[in-house]
Amino acid sequence: MTFDTITNLITKLIDVLLVWLVFYYILKHLRKNVKMVLLFKGLLFVIALKIISDLLDLVTIGYLLDYVITWGPLAIIVIFQPEIRNVLEYLGRSQLLGRHKVLTVDERERVVYEIVNAMEALKKDRIGALMVIERDNSLTEYIQKSKKIYADISSDLLVSIFFPNNPLHDGGVIIQGDKITSAGAVFPTSDNLKISKRLGTRHRAALGISETGDSISLIVSEETGRLSIAIGGELNYNLTLDEVKMILLEELRPKNSILLEDEEAGEEDDSNEEIA
């Protein structure tokens, strides 16, 4: 193989990978957005109708569909401009290494311990709260518009922030690594039509920010004291403190450490088999 052939092959491979990457992000956001789901169904309907019109030689409908296919992409860009912007913002917020990944096991467990203790106290006193933990997608956009704190995480500080007389209690707290970065943050509310009408603004904001990235949203209901977690646009409602702790430990654990643990477990099984 010549150098030009290898270069051409690599270029085509990169081209295919980029196309698949675009489709991956489209499909990833498709399941979270009602409008995008309807758009996808509409595109499938138009394609199916075009195929049928070509097979049956339906001239009039085929002529109209040609116009739809020609000008459809422009109409989609105009109509779905907010959704396209959200996808581009999601790509722009992505960072190579989230701060939670550089924490040691002890530091990660301490973060979870302080958060769970704070949620227990807030639950007991029926104090509403919203805490958002940053992972790989940066929350700088929301930090800049909120009150900067940048203090070591502690349950006492979290409880005091959400105390009703505190001016910051209505907003959300943003946690980066083992630091409380800011308070009083305002997040976009979810427009998912499947959300129960019983859920208030905190739950909708928690779902909204979880739909735009990979952050973890923790909610304490002011009315019922129930604990919930929103991840990836899905709400885990009415959790126990133990369930909250287990979910946080699992979600904050770096994926590479999980792989290493699996490999170590496999090596231990192999060594046990050899001894047997």
Side-chain angles (χ1 to χ4, degrees):
M1 296 179 65
T2 63
F3 178 76
D4 291 338
T5 305
I6 295 173
T7 305
N8 189 36
L9 183 62
I10 293 174
T11 303
K12 290 181 178 179
L13 182 61
I14 293 173
D15 186 28
V16 172
L17 288 174
L18 288 175
V19 171
W20 277 110
L21 186 63
V22 170
F23 274 107
Y24 166 75
Y25 278 105
I26 291 174
L27 293 174
K28 185 176 181 179
H29 286 77
L30 182 65
R31 63 185 180 86
K32 302 178 184 177
N33 194 296
V34 177
K35 292 181 181 179
M36 294 290 282
V37 171
L38 294 175
L39 170 64
F40 186 70
K41 290 180 179 178
L43 290 174
L44 291 179
F45 177 76
V46 170
I47 293 172
L49 200 59
K50 177 62 177 174
I51 293 173
I52 293 172
S53 67
D54 290 342
L55 292 175
L56 301 179
D57 198 22
L58 303 177
V59 179
T60 305
I61 190 68
Y63 185 74
L64 292 174
L65 288 173
D66 286 338
Y67 271 102
V68 172
I69 294 172
T70 301
W71 297 103
L74 181 60
I76 289 172
I77 292 174
V78 174
I79 296 171
F80 293 93
Q81 183 265 340
E83 283 71 24
I84 295 172
R85 186 185 63 218
N86 288 339
V87 174
L88 294 176
E89 287 178 351
Y90 175 84
L91 293 173
R93 285 194 299 268
S94 297
Q95 51 190 11
L96 183 61
L97 189 63
R99 298 191 185 184
H100 68 289
K101 292 181 178 178
V102 298
L103 297 177
T104 64
V105 175
D106 290 340
E107 289 173 336
R108 191 160 58 246
E109 289 181 351
R110 190 183 72 82
V111 168
V112 174
Y113 173 80
E114 297 293 342
I115 291 174
V116 171
N117 278 359
M119 294 183 75
E120 182 179 15
L122 294 166
K123 172 185 173 69
K124 181 180 179 181
D125 296 332
R126 296 286 180 88
I127 298 175
L130 171 59
M131 294 171 268
V132 179
I133 304 174
E134 181 190 86
R135 290 200 282 183
D136 289 339
N137 297 136
S138 174
L139 297 175
T140 303
E141 172 188 353
Y142 305 101
I143 294 171
Q144 291 174 347
K145 300 175 183 178
S146 58
K147 182 66 176 179
K148 313 298 188 305
I149 296 178
Y150 203 73
D152 291 336
I153 190 168
S154 72
S155 56
D156 292 337
L157 179 55
L158 287 172
V159 172
S160 65
I161 289 173
F162 292 110
F163 191 75
N165 292 332
N166 193 315
L168 298 175
H169 82 280
D170 281 335
V173 160
I174 296 177
I175 298 171
Q176 293 179 312
D178 59 350
K179 304 290 183 182
I180 300 175
T181 304
S182 66
V186 178
F187 303 110
T189 57
S190 176
D191 57 358
N192 192 330
L193 299 177
K194 296 180 180 179
I195 300 175
S196 173
K197 294 181 180 179
R198 294 180 297 137
L199 298 179
T201 306
R202 280 193 184 89
H203 289 83
R204 293 180 178 273
L207 277 170
I209 189 63
S210 72
E211 289 172 349
T212 62
D214 65 345
S215 60
I216 303 172
S217 303
L218 304 161
I219 316 102
V220 180
S221 174
E222 187 173 354
E223 290 76 16
T224 63
R226 291 176 176 174
L227 310 179
S228 305
I229 295 181
I231 302 174
E234 296 182 0
L235 182 67
N236 300 288
Y237 186 68
N238 193 18
L239 301 172
T240 65
L241 287 167
D242 286 337
E243 288 173 333
V244 170
K245 180 179 179 181
M246 295 303 296
I247 291 174
L248 285 178
L249 287 172
E250 182 66 26
E251 293 294 333
L252 291 176
R253 185 166 43 165
K255 291 183 175 62
N256 58 349
S257 69
I258 296 175
L259 291 175
L260 288 173
E261 289 177 4
D262 291 340
E263 290 176 0
E264 290 174 358
E267 291 175 358
E268 288 179 0
D269 292 340
D270 293 339
S271 61
N272 290 335
E273 288 178 1
E274 290 177 359
I275 293 172

